[in-house]
Amino acid sequence: MSTTALPPGSTIGILGGGQLGRMMAMAAAEMGYHVHVYCPERDAPASEVARTYTCAAYDDLEALRQFALSVDVITYEFENIPAESVKVLSNHVPVRPNPDILHISQHRVLEKQAINKLGIATAPFKSVTSLIELKAAIGAIGLPAVLKTCRMGYDGKGQAMLDKDSDLVNVWEKLNTIDAVLEGFVNFRMEISVIVARDVAGHIASYCPVQNTHKHHILHETIAPAPISDALSDKAQKIARIVAEGVGLIGLMAIEMFVTKDDDIIVNETAPRPHNSGHWTMDSCVTGQFTQSIRAVAGLPLGSPERLCDARMLNLIGDDVNEWQAYAAMPDARLHLYGKKEARPDRKMGHINFLLPKKQG
Ligand code: AMP
């Protein structure tokens, strides 16, 4: 075991108090750690399950400093933490995954450049900072294409599909940014993702690739394992390993990929934290993704990512959660609710893992 492993009773700091923070905190508590969550919102889902909770803004440098002094390591459940704040934190205590990874994953162009540098394909892309550059980028990449804000985009927000009939002036105005990227449209046959973890000693463990389908740009369903060939599955996991090693990951990250019609794999984006498409692992693998992320950031060796059974994960978005009684009555399904009071449309309220007999592989 690594000499840097945090003993039980140590405190893990988590930036962000949403459902990912909540499930990370629960996994940490299971392993005997205390958890201190830092989040700008009151009553966030993680507030109910953490020993300590600081409610302060992500740019409140003094509150961040106090937070850093109270914990042994810091991890995060979302990427959009200002660089200056991360610097303050990392002056006091290790931030894992490391601040460079965070920096890259905050910006779509930096992210794609970093991935290409590792010899891994992304969609063709061009940085766009003005309408003139947008027109030039379309000239280089062609149409259809996808225009995205470089920062803060999620669940399809901050993106626009462009085709030959698009009103570019209007699209550019609506995007309301001077930091965008134009990506070639990938005519994919399937969207998959791989969750990969790397520990302080450099050991890597990845889960099997899963298939993801979206509704209104929000993840709807994950099928584990993805219905792809063994060769493609190996290729996807190899890509994940190369990325994890290439960025010097200590922690866990998700890599979203497109499978093209001719069975190529193209990386779409990465997230250096547990991911919605990894929720199935909580109930179907020897080590779930939340436990794995805590193991890695606490300096413990990784647990086995082996799949004990197949799974289908269904997100409960908005009013879907009203069916909770029906789901709770299903003996082979495991219901996870996030404790959110109000079921607003598009809000992730919970998920359900259907456990299925394991097929070969
Ligand atoms: P993102 O925010 O980059 O994950 O994009 C959200 C969703 O938009 C993806 O899951 C895809 O379904 C779709 N999408 C994003 N980029 C592209 C692309 N370059 N080509 C085709 N579809 C895309």
Side-chain angles (χ1 to χ4, degrees), residues 40-108:
E41 286 107 46
R42 238 165 248 300
D43 297 330
S47 65
E48 292 180 347
V49 297
R51 185 193 210 208
T52 320
Y53 192 79
T54 295
C55 182
Y58 288 126
D59 58 0
D60 182 340
L61 299 186
E62 184 47 31
L64 286 166
R65 205 177 68 84
Q66 292 302 330
F67 170 67
L69 290 172
S70 76
V71 300
D72 297 293
V73 68
I74 290 175
T75 188
Y76 42 87
E77 62 131 38
F78 91 132
E79 297 86 288
N80 293 313
I81 298 152
E84 173 71 8
S85 304
V86 179
K87 214 162 115 199
V88 167
L89 297 172
S90 58
N91 282 341
H92 297 286
V93 71
V95 175
R96 293 174 175 162
N98 73 64
D100 291 345
I101 299 178
L102 194 61
H103 181 64
I104 290 168
S105 69
Q106 285 174 347
H107 194 276
R108 290 188 191 270

Side-chain angles (χ1 to χ4, degrees), residues 295-309:
R295 278 175 165 268
V297 303
L300 296 175
L302 298 177
S304 164
E306 188 191 336
R307 190 176 85 252
L308 299 172
C309 64

Side-chain angles (χ1 to χ4, degrees), residues 142-348:
L143 290 170
V146 188
L147 182 66
K148 302 179 181 177
T149 55
C150 282
R151 293 184 188 277
M152 305 292 261
Y154 68 99
D155 290 345
K157 293 186 174 64
Q159 357 192 317
M161 262 291 295
L162 300 184
D163 60 24
K164 59 180 180 26
D165 300 322
S166 299
D167 173 351
L168 296 184
V169 175
N170 190 23
V171 168
W172 182 248
E173 258 176 30
K174 257 201 176 144
L175 204 66
N176 192 24
T177 182
I178 51 159
D179 192 12
V181 60
L182 186 76
E183 292 180 20
F185 180 77
V186 179
N187 194 5
F188 56 80
R189 77 171 169 89
M190 193 188 293
E191 291 190 78
I192 61 169
S193 57
V194 176
I195 312 268
V196 61
R198 186 168 175 273
D199 66 17
V200 286
H203 299 119
I204 293 180
S206 65
Y207 295 92
C208 68
V210 296
Q211 178 182 11
N212 300 315
T213 51
H214 299 82
K215 261 193 191 168
H216 312 298
H217 296 286
I218 301 174
L219 183 65
H220 167 61
E221 184 182 69
T222 294
I223 303 288
I228 54 176
S229 67
D230 290 349
L232 212 52
S233 169
D234 290 349
K235 191 168 166 182
Q237 290 187 73
K238 189 169 168 208
I239 287 173
R241 284 205 172 84
I242 292 170
V243 174
E245 212 152 70
V247 299
L249 176 71
I250 297 177
L252 177 136
M253 74 191 293
I255 303 173
E256 295 179 28
M257 308 172 190
F258 299 129
V259 179
T260 64
K261 302 239 153 72
D262 39 7
D263 273 0
D264 261 342
I265 292 182
I266 289 177
V267 168
N268 176 29
E269 64 177 353
T270 65
R273 53 164 171 78
H275 191 259
N276 197 166
S277 69
H279 288 359
W280 68 279
T281 62
M282 304 169 78
D283 299 318
S284 303
C285 294
V286 175
T287 313
Q289 66 162 350
F290 296 101
T291 302
Q292 193 75 300
S293 72
I294 296 298
R295 278 175 165 268
V297 303
L300 296 175
L302 298 177
S304 164
E306 188 191 336
R307 190 176 85 252
L308 299 172
C309 64
D310 292 353
R312 173 176 161 242
M313 189 282 312
L314 187 69
N315 261 345
L316 302 178
I317 311 281
D319 285 345
D320 295 347
V321 74
N322 296 339
E323 299 300 316
W324 67 271
Q325 270 184 315
Y327 290 129
M330 295 178 181
D332 292 335
R334 297 195 57 178
L335 179 63
H336 299 263
L337 298 176
Y338 307 149
K340 296 180 184 177
K341 287 193 188 84
E342 208 191 329
R344 293 196 292 269
D346 291 355
R347 198 169 196 213
K348 290 177 180 169

